[in-house]
């Protein structure tokens, strides 16, 4: 009799543990690279067809005012994973395979989404492009990911180890053809879902698409009206569809949060892409560099439709922590906010009073509600990817014909009402001097906290090299 009672109790405990595990949602972040606001058909693209991402948008929340914290790769990734501005987490410029960046990586003290979820008994896997340093201490498995499968950073053949696929710290495939990576990564994610379907998992899948090289697989060449770039976007869509279909087939879709977004705007100066109605693109602090396509779905739990709330990729860490039942540390500033209520209801106001637009370590714009003020700057203030020694300061009021690199040099503050002018075309600073004055005061305050050119902020983590804005 006692044996039967004991067995009954054990069964109840096991059942409760299994139920508890399943109550925590699985989480998948699909992070596209250099995908512009206007590159998907659900965001108005006419020359590409993205039915799978469109379906994700139809079944989830599609955001029209979702921002990242940088318009280049590495800082944007660091901000998403830590919930903190790049100036605060110590990763303000893109990491390169150069001598001065040899010790540059995501600091060991920084806490990532994976760190938070690992403490909540999640299985954690990073796949794809890391680009946050690859010395020991800076790798994915040093930052909360139990496993990593992917490349150190961007795919290149000019560096001998940048076309090698790693599993954890070891190379498992050498000299990999670029076109094979997107399918390989998707396969790995689907395998991991199957292996961990009885416990909560977190997959951070950072695709190389649609970053250069613009090399879609041969079966996708010629499938779009948008040249090779459009074909490349459609290939990304195909593999997103494979992954979401696998969730359905494995009966995991009702307990999995799927987040799709891009790391920054399109590289319109180099490889194409579209920012849609927005001005500028990658490398700029215009909306085309920071405002990105973003879709979040949790079947039956989150609202559906289109949401216009001003949100940030930094909001993901505190939001996912809340949904997983995790507590955040109180020893640091988390710039992101918990947006669970907005996701569940599809309604609400932005949790951010101000947002700051840095290009490298240069504060270039501030936003509050619909208002955005671009701050004066010189070409010398810019990071290496935006410098132009012969650039004359822009002193006009209409930005309709501004170049793809945005406002490299600016002689005076420019104010835009994004509610009526999301393309940042018409300066209205003379009509609203009180807003300009408020924002200039806020710029002085935040410089003291986060830093700027020739200013070290009180809560700025400074990278381990000098001349931060320079390549050499």
């Amino acid at each position: 009799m006692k044996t039967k009672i004991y067995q009954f109790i054990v069964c109840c405990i096991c059942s409760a543990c299994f139920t508890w595990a399943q109550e925590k949602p699985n989480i998948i972040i699909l992070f596209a690279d250099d995908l512009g606001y206007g590159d998907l058909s659900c965001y108005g693209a006419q020359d590409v067809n993205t039915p799978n991402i469109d379906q994700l948008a139809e079944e989830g929340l599609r955001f029209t005012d979702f921002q990242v914290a940088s318009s280049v790769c590495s800082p944007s990734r660091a901000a998403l994973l830590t919930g903190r501005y790049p100036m605060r987490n110590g990763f303000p410029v893109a990491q390169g395979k150069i001598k001065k960046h040899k010790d540059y990586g995501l600091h060991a003290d920084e806490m990532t989404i994976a760190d938070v979820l690992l403490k909540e008994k999640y299985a954690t896997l990073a796949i794809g492009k890391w680009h946050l340093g690859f010395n020991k201490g800076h790798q994915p498995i040093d930052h909360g990911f139990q496993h990593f499968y992917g490349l150190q950073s961007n795919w290149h053949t000019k560096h001998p180890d940048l076309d090698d696929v790693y599993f954890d710290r070891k190379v498992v495939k050498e000299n990999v053809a670029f076109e094979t990576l997107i399918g390989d990564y998707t396969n790995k994610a689907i395998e991991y879902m199957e292996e961990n379907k009885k416990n909560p998992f977190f997959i951070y899948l950072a695709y190389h698409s649609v970053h250069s090289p613009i090399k879609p697989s041969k079966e996708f060449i010629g499938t779009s009206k948008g040249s090779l770039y459009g074909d490349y976007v459609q290939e990304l869509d195909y593999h997103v569809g494979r992954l979401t279909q696998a969730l359905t087939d494995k009966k995991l879709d009702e307990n999995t949060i799927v987040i799709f977004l891009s790391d920054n705007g399109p590289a319109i100066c180099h490889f194409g892409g579209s920012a849609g109605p927005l001005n500028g693109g990658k490398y700029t602090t215009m909306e085309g560099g920071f405002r990105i396509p973003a879709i979040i779905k949790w079947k039956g739990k989150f609202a559906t439709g289109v949401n216009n709330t001003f949100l940030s990729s930094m909001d993901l860490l505190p939001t996912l922590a809340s949904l997983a039942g995790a507590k955040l540390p109180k020893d640091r500033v988390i710039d992101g906010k918990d947006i669970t209520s907005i996701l569940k209801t599809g309604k609400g106001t932005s949790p951010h009073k101000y947002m700051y637009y840095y290009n490298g370590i240069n504060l270039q714009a501030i936003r509050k509600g619909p208002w955005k003020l671009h701050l004066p700057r010189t070409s010398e203030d810019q990071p290496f990817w935006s410098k132009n020694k012969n650039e004359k300061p822009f002193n006009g009021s209409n930005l309709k014909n501004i170049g793809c690199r945005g406002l490299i040099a600016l002689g005076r503050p420019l104010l835009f009402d994004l509610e009526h002018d999301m393309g940042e075309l018409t300066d209205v600073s003379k009509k609203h001097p009180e807003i300009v004055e408020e924002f200039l005061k806020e710029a002085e305050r935040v410089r003291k906290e986060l830093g700027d050119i020739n200013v070290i902020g009180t809560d700025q983590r400074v990278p381990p090299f000098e001349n931060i804005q320079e390549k050499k």
Side-chain angles (χ1 to χ4, degrees):
M1 182 67 178
K2 289 182 178 180
T3 301
K4 291 183 177 180
I5 293 173
Y6 174 77
Q7 290 174 337
F8 175 75
I9 292 172
V10 170
C11 287
C12 287
I13 292 173
C14 290
S15 177
C17 289
F18 179 77
T19 301
W20 171 82
Q22 292 306 301
E23 285 177 351
K24 291 180 179 290
N26 305 313
I27 299 164
I28 300 176
I29 294 178
L30 302 175
F31 210 15
D33 198 340
D34 289 2
L35 186 73
Y37 190 86
D39 278 337
L40 302 173
S41 45
C42 58
Y43 278 86
Q46 299 298 309
D47 55 0
V48 298
N49 185 26
T50 52
N52 297 300
I53 298 174
D54 294 355
Q55 182 177 350
L56 188 66
E58 184 70 24
E59 297 172 352
L61 274 172
R62 180 174 70 83
F63 296 90
T64 64
D65 200 357
F66 205 97
Q67 304 268 339
V68 288
S70 174
S71 64
V72 293
C73 300
S74 303
S76 177
R77 292 159 197 274
L80 179 146
L81 287 171
T82 66
R84 288 153 54 88
Y85 280 107
M87 292 291 279
R88 212 187 294 277
N89 66 40
F91 226 104
V93 296
Q95 184 260 348
K97 201 75 171 176
I98 55 177
K99 185 176 180 180
K100 70 184 293 184
H101 287 180
K102 64 183 179 64
D103 298 319
Y104 187 33
L106 188 61
H107 197 281
D109 291 343
E110 290 296 327
M111 176 193 67
T112 69
I113 295 172
D115 286 315
V116 172
L117 296 179
L118 186 62
K119 291 179 180 179
E120 297 302 316
K121 311 301 182 184
Y122 273 71
T124 58
L125 172 67
I127 304 175
K129 174 179 171 177
W130 180 239
H131 211 182
L132 293 173
F134 215 70
N135 290 340
K136 192 170 183 179
H138 301 152
Q139 296 178 19
I141 58 175
D142 300 314
H143 285 286
F145 291 102
Q146 294 170 310
H147 295 293
F148 168 65
Y149 183 81
L151 270 60
Q152 291 187 26
S153 58
N154 292 320
W155 181 93
H156 283 294
T157 55
K158 62 182 179 181
H159 295 290
D161 53 352
L162 293 187
D163 60 354
D164 295 341
V165 174
Y166 288 75
F167 180 71
D168 295 344
R169 301 189 197 277
K170 296 182 178 180
V171 173
V172 292
K173 296 180 181 179
E174 294 183 326
N175 309 126
V176 174
F178 181 76
E179 298 92 326
T180 66
L181 290 172
I182 189 168
D184 192 22
Y185 292 165
T186 307
N187 291 341
K188 182 63 68 173
I190 293 172
E191 290 170 9
Y192 196 75
M193 288 158 42
E194 176 65 28
E195 293 167 0
N196 292 279
K197 63 183 179 182
K198 291 186 178 180
N199 56 269
F201 59 78
F202 169 48
I203 299 174
Y204 168 73
L205 174 45
Y207 285 118
H208 298 279
S209 310
V210 287
H211 192 287
S212 64
I214 311 301
K215 295 177 69 174
S217 302
K218 62 181 181 180
E219 57 265 36
F220 289 92
I221 294 176
T223 60
S224 79
K225 298 177 182 178
S227 69
L228 279 178
Y229 185 89
D231 302 339
Y232 199 19
V233 173
Q234 293 193 172
E235 182 177 23
L236 172 65
D237 177 77
Y238 170 76
H239 288 285
V240 170
R242 287 183 58 215
L243 191 143
T244 54
Q245 185 59 50
L247 283 173
T248 301
D249 294 343
K250 297 177 188 300
K251 298 181 170 35
L252 292 171
D253 55 332
E254 292 188 2
N255 196 43
T256 301
I257 299 170
V258 179
I259 301 167
F260 176 89
L261 73 166
S262 179
D263 65 340
N264 47 250
I268 54 178
C269 285
H270 301 285
F271 308 112
S274 170
L278 307 177
N279 213 335
K282 184 177 182 178
Y283 307 120
T284 80
T285 45
M286 308 296 290
E287 287 298 286
F290 276 65
R291 191 184 301 207
I292 45 88
I295 300 163
I296 301 179
K297 173 192 171 184
W298 188 5
K299 186 176 180 180
K301 302 291 196 309
F302 288 167
T304 60
V306 178
N307 186 282
N308 302 318
T309 311
F310 175 37
L311 301 173
S312 169
S313 61
M314 294 184 291
D315 297 333
L316 295 179
L317 182 141
T319 303
L320 297 176
S322 174
L323 291 165
K327 292 184 179 180
L328 296 178
K330 297 181 179 180
D331 64 344
R332 68 197 66 199
V333 173
I334 302 294
D335 295 298
K337 308 297 181 185
D338 183 357
I339 58 170
T340 300
S341 63
I342 294 174
L343 298 179
K344 287 183 175 180
T345 65
K347 302 175 182 178
T349 57
S350 175
H352 301 282
K353 183 177 181 180
Y354 294 103
M355 289 293 285
Y356 311 106
Y357 296 67
Y358 277 85
N359 204 1
I361 61 170
N362 182 213
L363 178 64
Q364 295 191 351
I366 297 178
R367 181 171 170 187
K368 178 183 179 183
W371 301 104
K372 181 177 177 183
L373 186 76
H374 281 271
L375 301 166
R377 71 205 64 153
T378 68
S379 177
E380 285 301 306
D381 293 334
Q382 296 276 9
F384 61 86
W385 55 79
S386 291
K387 289 185 185 297
N388 183 353
K389 292 182 180 180
N390 299 319
E391 190 76 16
K392 295 181 180 179
F394 180 86
N395 286 301
S397 59
N398 190 305
L399 280 71
K400 184 175 181 180
N401 296 317
I402 194 171
C404 62
R405 288 187 177 273
L407 295 164
I408 295 176
L410 182 58
R412 62 177 179 82
L414 301 179
L415 181 68
F416 298 97
D417 177 2
L418 298 180
E419 184 176 352
H420 300 100
D421 180 21
M422 68 188 295
E424 296 171 286
L425 297 176
T426 305
D427 171 37
V428 293
S429 59
K430 292 182 180 180
K431 296 181 180 179
H432 302 279
E434 74 287 354
I435 296 176
V436 174
E437 182 180 2
E438 175 193 345
F439 278 39
L440 291 176
K441 288 181 179 178
E442 178 59 20
E444 287 303 307
R445 187 205 67 77
V446 79
R447 286 187 181 109
K448 294 176 182 178
E449 180 183 347
L450 294 181
D452 200 344
I453 300 293
N454 299 321
V455 178
I456 302 298
T458 57
D459 195 24
Q460 177 185 358
R461 189 188 294 279
V462 180
F465 52 90
E466 297 181 350
N467 300 319
I468 296 170
Q469 299 286 73
E470 307 298 330
K471 194 169 186 177
K472 297 181 179 179

